[in-house]
C-alpha cells in the first residue's frame, strides 16, 4: 500500500504548506513495515516506533499501530488503526 503526502487535495496526508510539493513524498506499507521516501529520492527510510520526520511546517510522528486515513466526508476526516 502507498500513501501520498503533499499539499495536493488527493494526497492521503494533505498538509497545507507552500514549502511542500503537491506530491512531496510517500509512505509505503510492506509486510507490516512502514517506509518513507521523498519524491525524486531513491532512499526509503524505515519508520520505527517513536521516530519523527519534519515535512515543511509539520512534524509526523510514527506510532504503532500504523494509521491510515479512511474514506470519509471531506469535513469529517478520520484515522484508524490497521
Amino acid at each position: 500500500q502507498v500513501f501520498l503526502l503533499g499539499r495536493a487535495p488527493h494526497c492521503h496526508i494533505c498538509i497545507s504548506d507552500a514549502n511542500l510539493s503537491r506530491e512531496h513524498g510517500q509512505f509505503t506499507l510492506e509486510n507490516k513495515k512502514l517506509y518513507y521516501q521523498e519524491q525524486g529520492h531513491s532512499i526509503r527510510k524505515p519508520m520505527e516506533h517513536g521516530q519523527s520526520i519534519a515535512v515543511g511546517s509539520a512534524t509526523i510522528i510514527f506510532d504503532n499501530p500504523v494509521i491510515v486515513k479512511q474514506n470519509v466526508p471531506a469535513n469529517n476526516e478520520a484515522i484508524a488503526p490497521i
Side-chain angles (χ1 to χ4, degrees), residues 38-79:
E38 288 189 355
Q39 297 293 70
H41 292 82
S42 59
I43 298 173
R44 290 188 332 161
K45 296 180 194 176
M47 298 298 294
E48 302 295 334
H49 177 73
Q51 183 177 358
S52 65
I53 58 169
V55 264
S57 60
T59 300
I60 298 174
I61 301 170
F62 175 67
D63 187 17
N64 279 335
V66 174
I67 58 171
V68 294
K69 180 178 170 183
Q70 294 178 328
N71 291 328
V72 294
N75 293 338
N76 187 18
E77 295 202 13
I79 47 180

Side-chain angles (χ1 to χ4, degrees), residues 26-28 30 33-37 44-47:
Q26 67 183 28
F27 288 95
T28 306
E30 292 179 2
K33 181 82 174 154
L34 190 68
Y35 299 89
Y36 177 69
Q37 181 176 354
R44 290 188 332 161
K45 296 180 194 176
M47 298 298 294

